[in-house]
Amino acid sequence: MQSKLVSRDDKLHVGIIMDGNGRWATRRGLLRMRGHEAGVEAIRRIVEAAPKQGIGTLTLYAFSTDNWRRPKAEVAALMTLLRFYLSNEVQSLVENGVRLTVIGRRDRLPDGIANAIARAEKATADGGTLHLRIAVDYSARDTILNAAAKAAALTSLTREAFSQLVTGEAGLRDVDLIIRTSGEKRLSDFLLWEGAYAELHFTERMWPEFEASDLAEALTVFHGRERRFGGLRPIAAEEVPSLSRV
Ligand code: FPP
């Protein structure tokens, strides 16, 4: 479905807080880890569905800076899943035109993961169908703080220039829609700068059971909303003038 508020050529940027893996598993008498494994299956489904539903950039929250506080065994298992994903999925990502980048800190990740990330990013760099961003050891507040530290050395600063410092990319589209699964209604330090005007969609669905049809439903609700960006008339995200300068 194409909203009149999104110009034909512009693909959406959607962020997803993939919540509920643990509850999905324990309700079935399974170890929490089985929920994370099922969560990877859901990632595969949604990465495949996203470009067909008008999404050009998909940012997935895989591991927050606060997740280090989980039991060691669960952290280790999540890191193993990430390592497998990075090595086993690259071929399929390349074949499907998916460019993978990872946002967040890399210096605290277990041995080998930072290299695996660099290899996956290089191998998928030409993908033009979907930009998949995976947030690992990620905190939006830390990201903004680091950008501010870099900005302190500059003599002039625009929103665009600061965005580049925050996201590490020139021209990354602001987030249009943030989806959180499992009934929780928080942003949990996710995309606080890029998502300043994001529409929010909360669903009771647990992440392991999230399907392409759930994504389609979230987008239908999104397209039905009026985005005014502080003005009085609905306008498309790419038509918002950058009036404010710092
Ligand atoms: C939240 O569910 C989910 C996470 C903290 C991890 C998300 C990770 C994956 C989906 C798989 C690993 C990712 C990649 C890219 C390989 P929760 O455990 O907080 O669930 P709960 O709230 O029900 O306990």
Side-chain angles (χ1 to χ4, degrees):
M1 178 179 181
Q2 188 66 59
S3 160
K4 57 182 182 302
L5 297 185
V6 179
S7 71
R8 215 164 297 137
D9 299 333
D10 269 285
K11 305 269 181 65
L12 296 174
H13 182 173
V14 172
I16 307 185
I17 302 175
M18 308 180 288
D19 202 2
N21 295 350
R23 274 165 289 164
W24 178 88
T26 47
R27 281 174 197 172
R28 284 165 178 72
L30 303 170
L31 292 172
R32 289 176 56 81
M33 201 43 223
R34 298 284 92 78
H36 296 313
E37 287 168 8
V40 177
E41 292 301 321
I43 291 176
R44 291 200 182 98
R45 290 195 294 274
I46 298 313
V47 166
E48 193 192 327
K52 297 172 195 157
Q53 297 190 18
I55 296 170
T57 307
L58 179 66
T59 303
L60 301 179
Y61 207 178
F63 191 87
S64 79
T65 291
D66 292 323
N67 287 150
W68 290 115
R69 290 206 294 269
R70 292 190 176 205
K72 262 189 179 162
E74 183 168 341
V75 170
L78 278 167
M79 291 298 157
T80 301
L81 270 186
L82 178 63
R83 198 194 307 266
F84 278 134
Y85 184 84
L86 289 169
S87 51
N88 297 345
E89 214 67 17
V90 164
Q91 185 63 27
S92 150
L93 295 177
V94 170
E95 283 166 14
N96 290 295
V98 179
R99 173 161 84 98
L100 172 75
T101 59
V102 173
I103 57 172
R105 284 181 69 162
R106 297 188 187 184
D107 58 309
R108 300 189 293 193
L109 299 176
D111 276 355
I113 294 204
N115 283 340
I117 291 173
R119 277 198 301 274
E121 287 182 336
K122 192 164 176 227
T124 62
D126 293 334
T129 305
L130 176 73
H131 181 187
L132 171 63
R133 301 163 80 227
I134 299 187
V136 179
D137 195 0
Y138 175 84
S139 151
R141 291 206 286 196
D142 285 352
T143 306
I144 294 166
L145 199 61
N146 290 335
K150 288 181 194 152
L154 305 175
T155 48
S156 76
L157 192 60
T158 60
R159 280 186 178 186
E160 288 73 18
F162 192 71
S163 283
Q164 191 169 340
L165 292 176
V166 170
T167 64
E169 301 220 11
L172 185 87
R173 184 182 170 99
D174 276 354
V175 182
D176 297 286
L177 170 68
I178 293 178
I179 299 170
R180 183 170 191 148
T181 56
S182 89
E184 305 293 348
K185 296 182 178 67
R186 292 185 290 279
L187 287 178
S188 299
D189 204 6
F190 185 53
L191 304 179
L192 298 182
W193 172 269
E194 309 90 307
Y197 269 101
E199 298 290 326
L200 306 178
H201 182 87
F202 301 107
T203 166
E204 295 295 320
R205 193 82 80 208
M206 299 289 153
W207 176 249
E209 57 199 11
F210 195 80
E211 300 281 347
S213 55
D214 296 305
L215 181 63
E217 187 191 315
L219 288 166
T220 300
V221 174
F222 167 83
H223 286 300
R225 290 188 188 160
E226 271 197 358
R227 304 185 79 196
R228 294 188 296 274
F229 296 92
L232 298 181
R233 286 179 304 103
I235 53 171
E238 53 277 14
E239 286 161 19
V240 178
S242 288
L243 294 176
S244 309
R245 296 283 186 276
V246 283

